[in-house]
Amino acid sequence: MQIDPSRYNQIRENPHQIAAGCVLQPLGDGTMEFMHQQGGDEDTFILMLGAQKVHTPQGAIEILEGVFLSADGPGFHPTWDHDQLMREIDRGSWTIVPTEVVLEEWVERVETRMNLQR
């Protein structure tokens, strides 16, 4: 899978350490149900790609985008409004693996899944 990093900006500072390159892992039944509905499985995680401006009829908005990474490879691209994702995390929907930890411990796993073809 090819990701064009120039499409994304860093995610603005927030109390949950959500940044480009961090990983979201599902926490709780509701989040796991969402993962299954979108084609994920028990071992799927979301790599956050970053923030981007999207132009709509109502004007430009900023969205946060990620990519599902399962044992079958990359899939669905979830998007959130910044505040929406923060509220989901506050409710206990996601465990966050900070970007620094991903770079230290997850690189091989992320690259392997990103390079798989569905």
Side-chain angles (χ1 to χ4, degrees), residues 93-109:
S93 298
W94 303 98
T95 297
I96 289 70
V97 179
T99 304
E100 297 77 28
V101 176
V102 172
L103 292 172
E104 292 171 6
E105 302 173 16
W106 285 62
V107 171
E108 184 176 347
R109 186 174 178 194

Side-chain angles (χ1 to χ4, degrees), residues 53-62:
K53 293 267 189 215
V54 176
H55 298 282
T56 72
Q58 291 78 30
I61 60 170
E62 180 184 61

Side-chain angles (χ1 to χ4, degrees), residues 1-104:
M1 167 178 236
Q2 295 292 322
I3 301 286
D4 179 1
S6 68
R7 287 182 48 203
Y8 302 99
N9 297 311
Q10 186 53 266
I11 297 169
R12 63 186 140 130
E13 198 169 316
N14 59 79
H16 297 296
Q17 298 184 44
I18 301 297
C22 78
V23 163
L24 303 182
Q25 294 181 295
L27 185 63
D29 292 339
T31 309
M32 190 53 71
E33 182 180 337
F34 165 73
M35 297 287 269
H36 288 156
Q37 288 171 349
Q38 302 304 327
D41 57 31
E42 302 300 318
D43 193 38
T44 299
F45 57 89
I46 298 172
L47 175 67
M48 291 303 294
L49 301 174
Q52 64 175 301
K53 293 267 189 215
V54 176
H55 298 282
T56 72
Q58 291 78 30
I61 60 170
E62 180 184 61
I63 62 166
L64 309 183
E65 184 175 341
V67 60
F68 273 36
L69 295 176
S70 73
D72 293 333
F76 178 68
H77 281 248
T79 60
W80 291 270
D81 170 79
H82 184 277
D83 294 337
Q84 174 195 8
L85 182 55
M86 298 306 128
R87 285 190 301 272
E88 286 186 22
I89 295 165
D90 289 340
R91 284 196 315 254
S93 298
W94 303 98
T95 297
I96 289 70
V97 179
T99 304
E100 297 77 28
V101 176
V102 172
L103 292 172
E104 292 171 6

